Amino acid sequence: MKSEEQFLELIDAHFPREHDFLALGRGDDCAVLRGGSDYCVSSDLFLEGVHFRREYFSAADIGYKALAVNISDIAAMGAKPVAFTLDLMAPPDLPDEFWDAFFKSMSMLARQNEMVLAGGDLSRSDRLGMSITVFGAPGSTGFLRRRNCAFGDILFAVGDLGLARAGLMALEKDGPAARETLPAAVLAHLRPKPKVMIGTLLNAAGVKGLMDVSDGLARDLPRFLGPDLGADLVLAPGKLNANVISYAESIGEDPAAFAVTGGEDYALLGAVSPFEAGKAQSVPGYIQLGTVTKTPGITLNGSPFKVAGFDHFDT
Amino acid sequence: MKSEEQFLELIDAHFPREHDFLALGRGDDCAVLRGGSDYCVSSDLFLEGVHFRREYFSAADIGYKALAVNISDIAAMGAKPVAFTLDLMAPPDLPDEFWDAFFKSMSMLARQNEMVLAGGDLSRSDRLGMSITVFGAPGSTGFLRRRNCAFGDILFAVGDLGLARAGLMALEKDGPAARETLPAAVLAHLRPKPKVMIGTLLNAAGVKGLMDVSDGLARDLPRFLGPDLGADLVLAPGKLNANVISYAESIGEDPAAFAVTGGEDYALLGAVSPFEAGKAQSVPGYIQLGTVTKTPGITLNGSPFKVAGFDHFDT
């Protein structure tokens, strides 16, 4: 790209400015979101060298995933994404073809979800990166929160636990060649599917809470349950993706333990009362994980389970 | 910082979670902004090596300015800032004292403006940086837009044009020592004051449009006027800050030309009908700039004026 103007023209070519939820679109000091409904808001970074590598992420993969991981937070509220802002950190040496593929892929995902690009910022930077803020409108019962479980509730997930982690590990070891050996796992890492429709269905099905599993189930569960409750998980091999089982076994790990250690699953974790579980259980992809226990801590297939998970500042 | 937990604890120590405009605060997949009113939204990057240098920005300066430049966009809508999200790119080697000063300064500015930190993200990064998204509620006549001027309207500014640029140039040349020689200019660059109260007053005073001057008046004016109009500017020395005059003369430039070339002024540029200008003219800091002309282009003190201004991708 030669100038900011050229960037803005390319963005205008890919992203419409108008949307039912916008009273004012891109091009002023601010955009204006129409009032009337509550809005849920979330913001996520997607940075080269931290969240992705250009060695095995194509421009289209990067544009897609940067937005997808944000939409996933909206889905986890049982909400409907409507708009987003994009702050783009762009190395000046990337070719025009890169940006065309990047915006094309991001705009396709936005269009599929009927989202509008409401604004953002652009800066040169040594490393490629983006910060996206997304806005969602409430689902049929409003927004689904964390920490709304009780002893005896059923815990469930929609999405493959551990699959994206297997993909990441294989990509880090073998590079793009991993696409051949573990296609489902690699796809789960490069192109996680935000579960907007599923979240909406679970909201209508009367589940008590929902959460985006991004740091691995074992690390995210305590955040979902709160400090006073625990979980008894039963994960038979039939509940795991075949790529997770084969990858875990290839590195000598227990597949269930590998799955709950996960990371970047972008699966939905939910809780539902056992007396009202019927509708939720009929949602496509529903996987029963176990039950909420009276005391903190996690047991997995009968044994206590502990894991640190990923920390950006662990030394 | 040793862990994400430690970061989050420090953030909780500095930023309250509750606010009238929030139905749900930090700690879930999303925060929830209460409906009812329209919201204006803007997002800006603040990156080390692009927007600031640690050689002469203290931790407190960085925390302050990252939020201030965002609030400035809300002020330019004649709106009231209410909330923001913070995506933080943090080099792991920065000491705890840095973060304490950074958050203290940012939270003080947030408190002064009655804004709540609604959420965000945290990632390690080689370079320090932040992406902030701000939300504002409408002022007394709603939101003030650009491109709402007519031939004959009076153009005005509130804020010192060119002052921050003089500060930046002096800091780049002399480092922190520039604080002694050009104190007002250096302060304008390190600690720009977002003009929220002024924007609200101008909104109530019935001005036709308002804009945040961040790339220099000469570059921002066409964006404010739209493609069909121009401006005839008359900038006598009395309208310029003494630091701007002395700095421009010290480098052999015309002070008025230097002022309109500006950059990072975070001044408000506005237009008002000559028949309704009385109230606006009584707003503190009001500086008459000139009038809107029938044809595109800018004249400054009688001569045509052209400037490229700053482009992130100019080569």
Side-chain angles (χ1 to χ4, degrees):
Chain A
M1 289 291 156
K2 286 184 209 76
S3 68
E4 285 180 53
E5 293 304 322
Q6 209 188 333
F7 253 109
L8 297 179
E9 278 168 24
L10 187 61
I11 286 169
D12 276 339
H14 283 289
F15 295 92
R17 285 177 181 240
E18 314 226 315
H19 193 281
D20 287 349
F21 280 83
L22 283 189
L24 180 63
R26 302 193 298 278
D28 213 303
D29 295 293
C30 290
V32 176
L33 285 169
R34 279 189 209 286
S37 124
D38 285 357
Y39 285 101
C40 66
V41 182
S42 179
S43 203
D44 271 314
L45 290 163
F46 196 61
L47 306 178
E48 183 173 3
V50 180
H51 303 97
F52 68 89
R53 290 192 205 283
R54 273 196 272 157
E55 285 79 2
Y56 52 77
F57 270 82
S58 71
D61 292 334
I62 297 166
Y64 173 94
K65 188 170 177 180
L67 181 56
V69 301
N70 273 282
I71 296 176
S72 194
D73 281 311
I74 302 289
M77 301 297 283
K80 173 159 177 24
V82 294
F84 68 108
T85 59
L86 169 65
D87 278 6
L88 189 56
M89 294 163 268
D93 59 345
L94 281 177
D96 291 4
E97 298 71 41
F98 179 94
W99 292 114
D100 208 43
F102 172 89
F103 287 125
K104 189 175 173 185
S105 169
M106 182 179 280
S107 65
M108 194 174 300
L109 183 63
R111 207 171 308 123
Q112 283 164 2
N113 286 281
E114 298 177 326
M115 297 171 77
V116 65
L117 176 62
D121 193 13
L122 173 66
S123 173
R124 68 183 158 79
S125 167
D126 297 334
R127 294 247 192 159
L128 179 62
M130 46 235 79
S131 158
I132 289 180
T133 302
V134 282
F135 306 91
S140 51
T141 74
F143 296 111
L144 295 173
R145 302 181 182 198
R146 306 177 181 179
R147 300 194 175 201
N148 197 28
C149 317
F151 167 57
D153 281 350
I154 294 173
L155 292 166
F156 65 88
V158 180
D160 287 304
L161 301 173
L163 188 61
R165 181 169 168 239
L168 171 62
M169 291 172 75
L171 283 163
E172 286 286 300
K173 190 164 162 282
D174 302 330
R179 286 170 193 263
E180 309 296 325
T181 50
L182 290 171
V186 165
L187 197 66
H189 181 67
L190 299 180
R191 298 270 186 147
K193 269 198 192 156
K195 294 171 177 61
V196 173
M197 179 63 76
I198 300 288
T200 309
L201 290 172
L202 289 167
N203 194 336
V207 306
K208 296 172 75 171
L210 215 52
M211 175 180 179
D212 185 31
V213 181
S214 57
D215 290 342
L217 182 66
R219 193 157 195 246
D220 283 332
L221 248 177
R223 298 169 179 159
F224 183 65
L225 298 166
D228 300 326
L229 299 169
D232 184 13
L233 305 178
V234 181
L235 271 183
K239 294 180 181 176
L240 304 176
N241 185 289
N243 269 195
V244 172
I245 296 172
S246 63
Y247 186 81
E249 286 178 345
S250 78
I251 60 167
E253 285 197 26
D254 171 57
F258 182 90
V260 302
T261 307
E264 294 205 86
D265 296 314
Y266 303 109
L268 296 178
L269 163 66
V272 64
S273 154
F275 310 108
E276 295 163 9
K279 273 194 202 166
Q281 284 165 340
S282 70
V283 166
Y286 176 98
I287 304 164
Q288 194 130 321
L289 296 177
T291 50
V292 176
T293 57
K294 249 184 232 182
T295 49
I298 298 173
T299 59
L300 175 63
N301 294 337
S303 307
F305 188 81
K306 281 212 170 159
V307 68
F310 178 74
D311 188 311
H312 272 289
F313 296 90
D314 257 359
T315 44
Chain B
M1 289 289 158
K2 286 185 208 72
S3 68
E4 285 181 50
E5 293 305 321
Q6 209 187 330
F7 253 109
L8 296 179
E9 278 168 24
L10 186 62
I11 287 169
D12 277 337
H14 283 288
F15 296 93
R17 286 178 181 240
E18 315 225 315
H19 193 280
D20 286 348
F21 278 82
L22 282 189
L24 179 64
R26 300 193 298 276
D28 213 302
D29 295 292
C30 290
V32 177
L33 286 170
R34 279 190 210 285
S37 122
D38 285 357
Y39 285 102
C40 66
V41 182
S42 179
S43 202
D44 271 314
L45 289 164
F46 196 60
L47 306 178
E48 183 173 2
V50 181
H51 303 97
F52 67 90
R53 292 192 203 282
R54 274 196 270 156
E55 286 78 2
Y56 51 77
F57 270 82
S58 70
D61 292 333
I62 298 167
Y64 173 93
K65 188 170 177 180
L67 182 56
V69 300
N70 273 282
I71 296 175
S72 193
D73 281 312
I74 302 289
M77 301 296 286
K80 177 167 172 19
V82 295
F84 68 108
T85 59
L86 170 64
D87 278 7
L88 188 57
M89 294 164 270
D93 59 346
L94 282 177
D96 291 5
E97 297 71 40
F98 178 94
W99 292 114
D100 209 43
F102 173 88
F103 287 124
K104 189 175 173 185
S105 169
M106 183 180 280
S107 65
M108 194 174 299
L109 183 62
R111 206 171 310 122
Q112 283 164 359
N113 286 282
E114 299 179 326
M115 297 171 77
V116 64
L117 176 62
D121 194 11
L122 173 65
S123 173
R124 67 182 159 78
S125 168
D126 297 335
R127 293 248 190 157
L128 179 63
M130 46 237 76
S131 157
I132 289 181
T133 303
V134 281
F135 305 91
S140 53
T141 73
F143 297 110
L144 296 173
R145 304 181 181 197
R146 306 177 182 179
R147 300 192 173 203
N148 197 30
C149 316
F151 166 57
D153 282 350
I154 294 173
L155 291 166
F156 65 89
V158 181
D160 286 304
L161 301 174
L163 189 61
R165 178 167 169 240
L168 170 63
M169 290 172 78
L171 283 164
E172 286 285 302
K173 186 163 165 283
D174 302 330
R179 287 170 192 263
E180 308 297 324
T181 49
L182 290 170
V186 165
L187 197 65
H189 181 68
L190 300 179
R191 299 270 185 148
K193 267 199 193 156
K195 294 168 177 63
V196 173
M197 180 63 75
I198 301 287
T200 309
L201 290 172
L202 289 168
N203 194 335
V207 305
K208 297 173 76 171
L210 215 53
M211 176 178 177
D212 185 30
V213 182
S214 57
D215 291 341
L217 182 66
R219 193 159 197 245
D220 283 333
L221 248 179
R223 298 169 179 158
F224 183 65
L225 298 167
D228 301 327
L229 299 169
D232 182 15
L233 306 179
V234 182
L235 271 183
K239 295 182 181 175
L240 303 176
N241 186 290
N243 268 196
V244 172
I245 296 172
S246 63
Y247 186 79
E249 287 178 346
S250 78
I251 59 168
E253 286 196 25
D254 170 58
F258 183 90
V260 302
T261 308
E264 295 206 82
D265 296 312
Y266 303 109
L268 295 179
L269 163 66
V272 65
S273 155
F275 311 107
E276 296 162 8
K279 273 194 199 165
Q281 284 166 339
S282 69
V283 166
Y286 176 98
I287 304 164
Q288 195 130 323
L289 297 177
T291 49
V292 176
T293 57
K294 251 185 230 180
T295 49
I298 298 173
T299 59
L300 175 63
N301 294 336
S303 307
F305 188 81
K306 278 210 172 164
V307 67
F310 179 74
D311 189 312
H312 272 290
F313 296 90
D314 258 357
T315 45

Coordinates of all heavy atoms in Angstrom, one line a residue, chain A residues 21 33-34 36-42 70-83 134-148 196 199-200 202-211 224 269 271, chain B residues 21-25 28-36 39:
Chain A
F21 N -28.3 -1.1 12.2 CA -27.9 -0.7 13.5 C -27.1 0.5 13.6 O -26.8 1.0 14.7 CB -27.2 -1.9 14.2 CG -28.1 -2.9 14.8 CD1 -28.6 -4.0 13.9 CD2 -28.5 -2.9 16.1 CE1 -29.4 -4.9 14.4 CE2 -29.4 -3.9 16.6 CZ -29.9 -4.9 15.7
L33 N -24.0 4.0 16.9 CA -24.8 2.9 17.0 C -26.2 3.3 17.5 O -26.3 4.1 18.4 CB -24.3 1.9 18.1 CG -23.0 1.1 17.7 CD1 -22.5 0.5 19.0 CD2 -23.4 0.0 16.7
R34 N -27.2 2.8 16.8 CA -28.6 3.2 17.2 C -28.9 2.6 18.6 O -28.6 1.5 18.9 CB -29.6 2.6 16.2 CG -29.8 3.3 14.9 CD -30.9 2.8 14.1 NE -30.7 3.0 12.7 CZ -30.8 4.2 12.1 NH1 -31.2 5.2 12.8 NH2 -30.6 4.3 10.8
G36 N -31.9 1.8 21.7 CA -33.1 1.0 21.7 C -32.7 -0.3 22.3 O -33.3 -0.7 23.4
S37 N -31.8 -1.0 21.8 CA -31.4 -2.3 22.4 C -30.1 -2.1 23.2 O -29.4 -1.2 23.0 CB -31.1 -3.3 21.2 OG -29.9 -3.8 21.3
D38 N -30.0 -3.0 24.2 CA -28.6 -3.1 24.8 C -27.6 -3.6 23.8 O -28.0 -4.3 22.9 CB -28.7 -4.1 26.0 CG -29.4 -3.5 27.2 OD1 -29.8 -2.4 27.2 OD2 -29.5 -4.3 28.2
Y39 N -26.4 -3.3 24.0 CA -25.3 -3.9 23.2 C -24.3 -4.6 24.1 O -23.9 -4.1 25.1 CB -24.6 -2.8 22.4 CG -25.3 -2.2 21.3 CD1 -26.0 -1.0 21.4 CD2 -25.4 -2.9 20.1 CE1 -26.7 -0.5 20.3 CE2 -26.1 -2.4 19.0 CZ -26.8 -1.2 19.1 OH -27.5 -0.7 18.1
C40 N -23.9 -5.8 23.6 CA -22.8 -6.4 24.3 C -21.5 -6.1 23.5 O -21.6 -5.9 22.2 CB -22.9 -7.9 24.5 SG -23.0 -8.9 23.0
V41 N -20.4 -6.0 24.1 CA -19.2 -5.4 23.5 C -18.0 -6.3 24.0 O -17.9 -6.6 25.2 CB -18.9 -4.0 24.1 CG1 -17.6 -3.5 23.4 CG2 -20.1 -3.1 23.8
S42 N -17.1 -6.6 23.0 CA -15.9 -7.3 23.4 C -14.8 -6.9 22.5 O -15.0 -6.5 21.4 CB -16.1 -8.9 23.3 OG -14.9 -9.5 23.6
N70 N -13.4 -12.8 17.7 CA -14.2 -11.8 18.3 C -15.7 -12.1 18.2 O -16.4 -12.0 19.2 CB -13.9 -10.4 17.6 CG -12.8 -9.7 18.2 OD1 -12.9 -9.1 19.2 ND2 -11.6 -9.8 17.5
I71 N -16.1 -12.6 17.1 CA -17.5 -13.0 17.0 C -17.8 -14.1 18.0 O -18.9 -14.2 18.5 CB -17.8 -13.5 15.5 CG1 -17.6 -12.4 14.5 CG2 -19.2 -14.1 15.4 CD1 -17.8 -12.8 13.1
S72 N -16.8 -15.0 18.3 CA -17.0 -16.1 19.2 C -17.5 -15.5 20.6 O -18.3 -16.2 21.3 CB -15.8 -16.9 19.3 OG -16.0 -18.1 19.9
D73 N -17.0 -14.4 21.0 CA -17.4 -13.8 22.3 C -18.8 -13.3 22.3 O -19.5 -13.4 23.3 CB -16.5 -12.6 22.6 CG -15.1 -13.0 23.2 OD1 -15.1 -13.9 24.1 OD2 -14.1 -12.5 22.7
I74 N -19.3 -12.9 21.1 CA -20.7 -12.5 21.0 C -21.6 -13.7 21.0 O -22.6 -13.8 21.7 CB -20.9 -11.7 19.7 CG1 -20.0 -10.5 19.6 CG2 -22.4 -11.4 19.5 CD1 -20.4 -9.4 20.5
A75 N -21.1 -14.8 20.3 CA -21.9 -16.1 20.3 C -22.0 -16.6 21.8 O -23.1 -17.1 22.1 CB -21.2 -17.1 19.4
A76 N -21.0 -16.4 22.6 CA -21.0 -16.9 23.9 C -21.9 -16.1 24.9 O -22.1 -16.5 26.0 CB -19.6 -16.9 24.5
M77 N -22.4 -15.0 24.4 CA -23.5 -14.3 25.1 C -24.8 -14.7 24.7 O -25.8 -14.1 25.1 CB -23.3 -12.8 25.0 CG -22.0 -12.2 25.4 SD -21.6 -12.4 27.2 CE -22.6 -11.1 27.9
G78 N -24.9 -15.6 23.7 CA -26.2 -16.0 23.1 C -26.7 -14.8 22.3 O -28.0 -14.7 22.1
A79 N -25.8 -14.0 21.8 CA -26.2 -12.7 21.1 C -25.9 -12.8 19.6 O -25.4 -13.8 19.1 CB -25.4 -11.6 21.7
K80 N -26.4 -11.7 19.0 CA -26.2 -11.7 17.5 C -25.2 -10.5 17.2 O -25.5 -9.4 17.5 CB -27.6 -11.3 16.9 CG -27.5 -11.1 15.5 CD -28.7 -11.2 14.6 CE -28.4 -10.8 13.2 NZ -26.9 -10.9 12.8
P81 N -24.1 -10.9 16.5 CA -23.1 -9.8 16.2 C -23.8 -8.8 15.2 O -24.5 -9.2 14.2 CB -22.0 -10.6 15.5 CG -22.5 -11.9 15.1 CD -23.7 -12.2 16.0
V82 N -23.5 -7.5 15.3 CA -24.0 -6.6 14.4 C -23.0 -5.6 13.8 O -23.1 -5.2 12.6 CB -25.1 -5.7 15.0 CG1 -26.4 -6.5 15.4 CG2 -24.6 -4.9 16.3
A83 N -21.9 -5.3 14.5 CA -20.9 -4.4 14.0 C -19.6 -4.6 14.6 O -19.5 -5.3 15.6 CB -21.4 -2.9 14.3
V134 N -16.1 -5.8 18.9 CA -17.4 -6.3 18.3 C -18.5 -5.9 19.1 O -18.4 -5.8 20.4 CB -17.4 -7.8 18.1 CG1 -16.6 -8.2 16.8 CG2 -17.0 -8.5 19.3
F135 N -19.7 -5.7 18.5 CA -20.9 -5.3 19.2 C -22.0 -6.3 18.8 O -22.1 -6.7 17.6 CB -21.3 -3.9 18.7 CG -20.3 -2.9 18.8 CD1 -19.4 -2.7 17.8 CD2 -20.1 -2.3 20.0 CE1 -18.3 -1.7 18.0 CE2 -19.1 -1.3 20.2 CZ -18.2 -1.1 19.2
G136 N -22.8 -6.7 19.8 CA -23.8 -7.7 19.6 C -25.2 -7.2 20.2 O -25.2 -6.5 21.2
A137 N -26.2 -7.7 19.5 CA -27.6 -7.4 20.1 C -28.1 -8.6 20.8 O -27.7 -9.8 20.4 CB -28.5 -7.0 18.9
P138 N -28.9 -8.4 21.8 CA -29.4 -9.6 22.6 C -30.2 -10.6 21.9 O -30.9 -10.4 21.0 CB -30.2 -8.9 23.7 CG -30.6 -7.5 23.2 CD -29.5 -7.2 22.2
G139 N -30.0 -11.9 22.3 CA -30.8 -13.0 21.8 C -32.1 -13.1 22.6 O -32.5 -12.1 23.3
S140 N -32.9 -14.1 22.4 CA -34.3 -14.2 22.8 C -34.5 -14.0 24.3 O -35.5 -13.4 24.7 CB -35.0 -15.4 22.3 OG -34.2 -16.6 22.7
T141 N -33.5 -14.4 25.1 CA -33.7 -14.2 26.6 C -32.7 -13.2 27.1 O -32.5 -13.1 28.3 CB -33.5 -15.5 27.4 OG1 -32.1 -15.8 27.4 CG2 -34.3 -16.7 26.8
G142 N -32.2 -12.4 26.2 CA -31.2 -11.4 26.6 C -29.8 -11.9 26.4 O -29.5 -12.6 25.5
F143 N -28.9 -11.6 27.4 CA -27.5 -12.1 27.3 C -27.2 -13.2 28.3 O -27.7 -13.2 29.4 CB -26.5 -10.9 27.5 CG -26.6 -9.8 26.5 CD1 -27.1 -8.6 26.9 CD2 -26.2 -10.0 25.2 CE1 -27.2 -7.6 25.9 CE2 -26.3 -9.0 24.3 CZ -26.8 -7.8 24.6
L144 N -26.5 -14.2 27.8 CA -26.1 -15.4 28.7 C -24.8 -15.1 29.4 O -23.8 -14.8 28.7 CB -26.0 -16.6 27.9 CG -27.4 -17.1 27.3 CD1 -27.1 -18.3 26.3 CD2 -28.4 -17.4 28.3
R145 N -24.8 -15.2 30.7 CA -23.6 -14.8 31.5 C -22.9 -16.1 32.0 O -23.4 -17.2 32.0 CB -24.0 -14.0 32.7 CG -24.7 -12.7 32.3 CD -25.1 -11.9 33.5 NE -25.8 -10.7 33.0 CZ -26.0 -9.6 33.8 NH1 -25.5 -9.5 35.0 NH2 -26.6 -8.6 33.3
R146 N -21.7 -15.8 32.6 CA -21.0 -16.8 33.4 C -21.5 -16.8 34.8 O -22.3 -16.0 35.2 CB -19.5 -16.5 33.4 CG -18.9 -16.3 32.0 CD -17.4 -16.0 32.2 NE -16.8 -15.7 30.8 CZ -15.5 -15.4 30.7 NH1 -14.7 -15.2 31.7 NH2 -15.1 -15.2 29.4
R147 N -21.0 -17.8 35.6 CA -21.3 -17.8 37.1 C -22.8 -17.8 37.4 O -23.2 -17.0 38.3 CB -20.6 -16.5 37.7 CG -19.1 -16.6 37.5 CD -18.4 -15.6 38.4 NE -17.0 -15.7 38.3 CZ -16.1 -15.3 39.2 NH1 -16.5 -14.7 40.3 NH2 -14.8 -15.5 39.0
N148 N -23.5 -18.5 36.6 CA -24.9 -18.6 36.9 C -25.4 -20.1 37.1 O -26.5 -20.4 36.8 CB -25.7 -18.0 35.7 CG -27.1 -17.6 36.1 OD1 -27.4 -17.4 37.2 ND2 -28.0 -17.6 35.1
V196 N -22.4 -18.7 16.2 CA -23.5 -17.7 16.5 C -24.9 -18.3 16.5 O -25.6 -18.1 17.4 CB -23.4 -16.6 15.4 CG1 -24.6 -15.6 15.5 CG2 -22.1 -15.8 15.5
G199 N -25.3 -20.4 19.6 CA -25.5 -19.6 20.8 C -26.9 -19.1 20.8 O -27.5 -19.1 21.9
T200 N -27.4 -18.7 19.7 CA -28.8 -18.2 19.6 C -29.8 -19.3 20.0 O -30.8 -19.1 20.8 CB -29.1 -17.7 18.2 OG1 -28.0 -16.8 17.9 CG2 -30.4 -16.9 18.2
L202 N -29.2 -22.0 21.8 CA -29.0 -22.3 23.2 C -29.7 -21.3 24.1 O -30.2 -21.6 25.2 CB -27.5 -22.5 23.6 CG -26.8 -23.7 23.0 CD1 -25.3 -23.6 23.1 CD2 -27.3 -25.0 23.7
N203 N -29.6 -20.0 23.7 CA -30.3 -19.0 24.4 C -31.8 -19.2 24.4 O -32.4 -19.2 25.5 CB -30.0 -17.6 23.7 CG -30.3 -16.4 24.5 OD1 -31.2 -16.5 25.4 ND2 -29.7 -15.3 24.3
A204 N -32.3 -19.5 23.3 CA -33.8 -19.8 23.2 C -34.1 -21.1 23.9 O -35.3 -21.3 24.4 CB -34.2 -19.9 21.7
A205 N -33.2 -22.0 24.1 CA -33.4 -23.3 24.8 C -33.4 -23.2 26.3 O -33.6 -24.1 27.0 CB -32.4 -24.3 24.3
G206 N -33.1 -22.0 26.8 CA -33.2 -21.8 28.2 C -32.0 -22.2 29.0 O -32.1 -22.5 30.2
V207 N -30.8 -22.3 28.4 CA -29.6 -22.6 29.2 C -29.3 -21.5 30.2 O -29.7 -20.4 30.0 CB -28.4 -22.9 28.3 CG1 -28.7 -24.0 27.3 CG2 -27.8 -21.7 27.7
K208 N -28.6 -21.9 31.3 CA -28.4 -20.9 32.4 C -27.2 -20.0 32.1 O -27.1 -18.9 32.7 CB -28.2 -21.7 33.7 CG -29.5 -22.4 34.1 CD -29.2 -23.3 35.3 CE -29.2 -22.5 36.5 NZ -29.1 -23.4 37.7
G209 N -26.2 -20.5 31.4 CA -25.0 -19.7 31.1 C -24.3 -20.2 30.0 O -24.4 -21.4 29.6
L210 N -23.4 -19.4 29.4 CA -22.6 -19.8 28.2 C -21.3 -19.0 28.3 O -21.2 -17.9 28.8 CB -23.4 -19.4 27.0 CG -23.3 -20.3 25.7 CD1 -23.6 -21.7 26.1 CD2 -24.2 -19.8 24.6
M211 N -20.2 -19.7 27.8 CA -18.9 -19.1 27.8 C -18.1 -19.5 26.6 O -18.2 -20.7 26.2 CB -18.2 -19.4 29.1 CG -16.7 -19.0 29.2 SD -16.0 -19.4 30.7 CE -14.3 -18.8 30.5
F224 N -16.0 -20.0 34.6 CA -17.5 -20.1 34.3 C -18.3 -20.5 35.5 O -19.4 -20.0 35.7 CB -17.6 -21.3 33.3 CG -19.0 -21.5 32.8 CD1 -19.7 -20.5 32.1 CD2 -19.7 -22.7 33.1 CE1 -21.0 -20.7 31.6 CE2 -21.0 -22.9 32.6 CZ -21.6 -21.9 31.9
L269 N -19.0 -23.3 26.1 CA -19.2 -24.1 27.3 C -20.5 -23.6 27.9 O -20.7 -22.4 28.0 CB -18.1 -23.9 28.2 CG -18.2 -24.3 29.7 CD1 -18.4 -25.8 29.8 CD2 -17.0 -23.8 30.5
A271 N -24.1 -24.4 30.8 CA -24.7 -25.1 31.9 C -26.2 -25.0 31.7 O -26.8 -24.0 31.3 CB -24.3 -24.5 33.2
Chain B
F21 N -24.0 3.3 32.8 CA -24.3 2.9 31.4 C -24.0 1.5 31.2 O -24.2 1.0 30.1 CB -23.4 3.8 30.5 CG -24.1 5.1 30.2 CD1 -23.9 6.2 31.1 CD2 -24.8 5.3 29.1 CE1 -24.4 7.4 30.8 CE2 -25.4 6.6 28.8 CZ -25.2 7.6 29.7
L22 N -23.5 0.7 32.2 CA -23.2 -0.7 32.0 C -24.2 -1.6 32.7 O -24.4 -1.4 33.9 CB -21.8 -1.0 32.6 CG -20.6 -0.7 31.8 CD1 -19.3 -1.3 32.5 CD2 -20.7 -1.1 30.4
A23 N -24.8 -2.5 32.0 CA -25.7 -3.5 32.6 C -24.8 -4.7 33.1 O -25.2 -5.4 34.0 CB -26.7 -4.0 31.6
L24 N -23.6 -4.9 32.5 CA -22.7 -5.9 32.9 C -21.3 -5.4 32.7 O -21.0 -4.9 31.6 CB -22.9 -7.2 32.1 CG -22.0 -8.4 32.3 CD1 -22.2 -8.9 33.8 CD2 -22.3 -9.5 31.3
G25 N -20.4 -5.5 33.7 CA -19.1 -5.0 33.6 C -18.0 -6.0 33.2 O -18.4 -7.1 32.6
D28 N -16.8 -11.0 31.9 CA -17.6 -12.0 31.2 C -17.0 -12.0 29.8 O -16.0 -11.4 29.5 CB -19.1 -11.7 31.2 CG -19.9 -13.0 31.2 OD1 -19.8 -13.8 30.3 OD2 -20.7 -13.2 32.2
D29 N -17.7 -12.8 28.9 CA -17.2 -12.8 27.5 C -17.3 -11.4 26.9 O -16.6 -11.0 26.0 CB -18.0 -13.8 26.7 CG -17.7 -15.3 27.1 OD1 -16.6 -15.7 26.9 OD2 -18.6 -15.9 27.7
C30 N -18.4 -10.7 27.3 CA -18.6 -9.3 26.8 C -19.0 -8.5 28.0 O -19.5 -9.0 29.0 CB -19.8 -9.3 25.8 SG -19.4 -10.1 24.2
A31 N -18.9 -7.2 27.9 CA -19.6 -6.3 28.7 C -20.9 -5.9 28.1 O -21.1 -6.2 26.9 CB -18.8 -5.0 28.9
V32 N -21.9 -5.3 28.8 CA -23.2 -5.0 28.2 C -23.4 -3.5 28.5 O -23.5 -3.1 29.6 CB -24.3 -5.8 28.7 CG1 -25.6 -5.3 28.1 CG2 -24.1 -7.3 28.4
L33 N -23.5 -2.7 27.4 CA -23.9 -1.3 27.4 C -25.4 -1.2 27.4 O -26.1 -1.8 26.6 CB -23.4 -0.6 26.2 CG -21.9 -0.3 26.0 CD1 -21.6 0.2 24.6 CD2 -21.5 0.8 27.0
R34 N -25.9 -0.5 28.4 CA -27.4 -0.3 28.4 C -27.9 0.4 27.2 O -27.4 1.4 26.7 CB -27.8 0.6 29.7 CG -27.8 -0.2 30.9 CD -28.4 0.7 32.0 NE -27.8 0.3 33.3 CZ -28.1 -0.8 34.0 NH1 -29.0 -1.6 33.5 NH2 -27.5 -1.0 35.2
G35 N -29.1 0.0 26.7 CA -29.7 0.6 25.6 C -30.4 1.9 26.0 O -30.3 2.3 27.1
G36 N -31.2 2.4 25.1 CA -32.0 3.6 25.4 C -31.4 4.7 24.6 O -32.1 5.3 23.7
Y39 N -25.2 5.4 20.8 CA -23.9 5.5 21.3 C -23.0 5.9 20.1 O -23.1 5.3 19.0 CB -23.3 4.2 21.8 CG -23.9 3.9 23.2 CD1 -24.9 2.9 23.4 CD2 -23.3 4.4 24.3 CE1 -25.4 2.6 24.6 CE2 -23.8 4.1 25.6 CZ -24.8 3.2 25.7 OH -25.3 3.0 27.0

